[in-house]
């Protein structure tokens, strides 16, 4: 089982949904980076459960304990260990799942791969494990902050309610002003209402998160097989419930002619600051960042846990029915936004470090 992400800047995670704690070790953090512990906790608070009526009712403070690699407010260059203790597990809610496989969960595949599984909240396959990614991403964001690189994500679709794809039309500072994390207040209200309706029916709904990386320098990405967009796709598709990734114009670009799709270079007052008239490429060309905004979209499926009766099979393959209990998200989008940002930040910083090696 591979539990480590990254090349030079790496995150190794541990823990289960209903275990004693979830945590990780970040390695490759350069020495001398100012570590803002309040910022790290703020990022975790954006992901934590129980923050609104649109999310799971599980109440976890998700208080991070930084164990190593930091001295007098700065990184030392040594591994940064951290832990977040689980405090509000209701493991009994999952007793009826011990001998059966939930549809579209990891129950069946984990059991047949390893011969055992933790049925309590999904164990290692639970989305709770993403809190370790958020801590690693917060540390990467602190490093990117010193480089002038910013990562911003928002909910751009819930069900059939969709924002215009061009992020320039929105005031992204409004993203955190509502529970859905959508920068369009009117669409956010519609999305919230849809999630509440779906939740009342014991059902779930999916959607899309859009992410933008601004201030990224030219030259990030390692062809042939570690192109920057391939690395971002790998990072996004490793997130629970993600089913799709597209950058730039993505699938819509296939309907354009080459004359419409090409991003024409244009001169600027600063010969080193190259610009393009358009950015259909999404800030990446030939697998390498070109200095323009990187933007992409990540599709999340509806949560697989439904609070209604479903058909399934037990461990012996016999047909049975069950109704899930416990506290679950009717839509992952609001809490997925900081996870997308975290995985993006770690990917970009990792490739920034790799780009420095390529010039030695």
């Amino acid at each position: 089982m591979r539990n480590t992400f990254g090349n030079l800047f790496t995150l190794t995670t541990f823990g289960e949904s209903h275990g004693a704690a979830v945590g990780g070790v970040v390695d490759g953090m350069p020495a001398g980076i100012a570590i803002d512990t309040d910022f790290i906790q703020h990022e975790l608070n954006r992901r934590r459960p129980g923050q609104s009526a649109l999310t799971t009712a599980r109440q976890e403070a998700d208080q991070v304990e930084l164990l190593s690699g930091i001295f007098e407010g700065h990184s030392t260059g040594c591994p940064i260990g951290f832990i977040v203790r689980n405090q509000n597990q209701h493991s009994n809610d999952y007793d009826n799942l011990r001998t059966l496989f939930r549809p579209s969960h990891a129950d069946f595949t984990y059991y047949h791969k390893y011969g055992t599984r933790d049925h309590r909240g999904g164990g290692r396959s639970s989305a709770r494990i993403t809190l370790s990614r958020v801590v690693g991403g917060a540390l990467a964001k602190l490093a990117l902050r010193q480089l002038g690189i910013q990562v911003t994500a928002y909910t751009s679709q819930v069900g059939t309610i969709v924002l215009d794809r061009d992020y320039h039309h929105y005031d992204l500072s409004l993203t955190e002003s509502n529970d859905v994390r959508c920068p369009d207040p009117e669409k956010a209200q519609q999305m919230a209402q849809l999630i509440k309706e779906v939740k009342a029916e014991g059902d779930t709904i999916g959607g899309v998160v859009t992410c933008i990386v601004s201030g990224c320098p030219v030259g990030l990405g390692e062809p042939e097989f570690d192109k920057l967009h391939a690395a971002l796709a790998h990072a996004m598709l490793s997130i629970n419930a993600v089913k799709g990734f597209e950058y730039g114009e993505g699938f819509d670009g296939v309907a354009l002619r080459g004359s419409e799709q090409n991003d024409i270079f244009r001169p600027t007052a600063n010969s080193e600051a190259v610009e393009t008239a358009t950015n259909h490429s999404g800030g990446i060309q030939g697998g390498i960042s070109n200095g323009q905004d990187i933007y992409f979209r990540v599709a999340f499926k509806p949560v697989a846990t439904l609070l209604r009766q479903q058909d399934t099979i037990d461990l012996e393959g016999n047909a049975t029915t069950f109704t899930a209990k416990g506290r679950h998200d009717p839509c992952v989008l609001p809490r997925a936004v900081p996870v997308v940002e975290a995985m993006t930040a770690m990917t970009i910083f990792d490739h920034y470090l790799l780009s420095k090696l390529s010039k030695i």
Side-chain angles (χ1 to χ4, degrees):
M1 182 183 289
R2 179 165 168 78
N3 298 292
T4 299
F5 175 80
N7 297 285
L8 297 180
F9 181 91
T10 65
L11 168 68
T12 301
T13 70
F14 64 84
E16 295 82 33
S17 176
H18 286 236
V22 176
V25 177
V26 169
D27 205 355
M29 184 71 159
I33 303 296
I35 304 300
D36 184 342
T37 55
D38 289 339
F39 173 76
I40 297 172
Q41 187 60 53
H42 169 74
E43 292 295 277
L44 269 179
N45 292 345
R46 295 172 66 210
R47 194 224 67 96
R48 75 174 180 84
Q51 59 186 275
S52 79
L54 305 181
T55 66
T56 171
R58 179 173 178 172
Q59 293 294 324
E60 293 280 3
D62 283 355
Q63 189 70 39
V64 64
E65 301 173 43
L66 299 171
L67 305 176
S68 62
I70 300 169
F71 180 67
E72 295 184 342
H74 290 79
S75 58
T76 64
C78 298
I80 299 175
F82 63 89
I83 193 171
V84 175
R85 301 182 189 277
N86 293 328
Q87 298 177 332
N88 191 230
Q89 311 97 308
H90 288 181
S91 298
N92 291 339
D93 289 342
Y94 298 87
D95 284 349
N96 65 325
L97 306 180
R98 183 184 292 273
T99 59
L100 56 80
F101 300 122
R102 295 170 296 172
S104 290
H105 281 77
D107 298 351
F108 175 80
T109 51
Y110 265 59
Y111 182 75
H112 281 272
K113 182 175 179 66
Y114 300 107
T116 185
R117 69 181 175 95
D118 184 347
H119 68 282
R120 304 166 304 167
R124 183 66 176 158
S125 67
S126 170
R128 178 152 181 76
I129 312 305
T130 60
L131 68 81
S132 295
R133 301 176 183 223
V134 172
V135 176
L139 289 166
K141 280 185 176 183
L142 291 173
L144 292 177
R145 180 187 293 177
Q146 299 192 11
L147 301 172
I149 301 173
Q150 183 174 2
V151 178
T152 305
Y154 61 91
T155 299
S156 55
Q157 180 174 347
V158 172
T160 58
I161 303 172
V162 187
L163 269 65
D164 186 295
R165 288 192 162 209
D166 189 348
Y167 60 92
H168 292 98
H169 293 171
Y170 301 99
D171 180 357
L172 300 187
S173 68
L174 297 177
T175 299
E176 296 293 322
S177 67
N178 56 75
D179 293 336
V180 187
R181 294 198 163 90
C182 172
D184 183 321
E186 182 177 346
K187 287 291 180 69
Q189 188 173 9
Q190 295 174 20
M191 291 174 178
Q193 182 59 35
L194 175 59
I195 295 172
K196 290 177 182 177
E197 292 172 1
V198 166
K199 180 179 180 180
E201 297 170 357
D203 215 332
T204 60
I205 193 77
V208 175
V209 171
T210 294
C211 187
I212 305 100
V213 182
S214 57
C216 188
V218 180
L220 305 194
E222 301 296 322
E224 166 76 359
F225 298 108
D226 286 321
K227 295 179 173 70
L228 187 57
H229 58 272
L232 286 167
H234 172 214
M236 297 307 120
L237 290 167
S238 75
I239 301 172
N240 305 55
V242 169
K243 288 296 183 181
F245 170 87
E246 61 175 352
Y247 75 102
E249 287 298 319
F251 287 100
D252 283 353
V254 303
L256 301 176
R257 304 274 180 104
S259 56
E260 299 172 300
Q261 175 81 8
N262 284 354
D263 295 321
I264 305 302
F265 291 107
R266 60 187 182 189
T268 63
N270 182 354
S271 60
E272 296 183 0
V274 176
E275 291 184 355
T276 55
T278 54
N279 189 18
H280 300 299
S281 301
I284 303 172
Q285 294 172 328
I288 301 172
S289 61
N290 66 3
Q292 308 304 302
D293 283 355
I294 296 170
Y295 66 94
F296 56 86
R297 291 166 295 280
V298 186
F300 286 81
K301 71 171 184 176
V303 176
T305 299
L306 310 183
L307 297 181
R308 55 165 66 177
Q309 183 171 294
Q310 295 186 81
D311 295 326
T312 190
I313 59 172
D314 61 21
L315 297 182
E316 285 73 43
N318 302 310
T320 186
T321 61
F322 81 104
T323 300
K325 303 176 183 178
R327 304 155 297 175
H328 306 280
D329 288 289
C331 178
V332 300
L333 274 297
R335 297 174 62 209
V337 168
V339 180
V340 168
E341 289 183 1
M343 295 305 295
T344 303
M346 286 191 289
T347 301
I348 295 297
F349 188 55
D350 189 34
H351 276 262
Y352 173 82
L353 296 176
L354 285 169
S355 73
K356 295 303 180 184
L357 283 182
S358 67
K359 296 178 181 178
I360 294 178

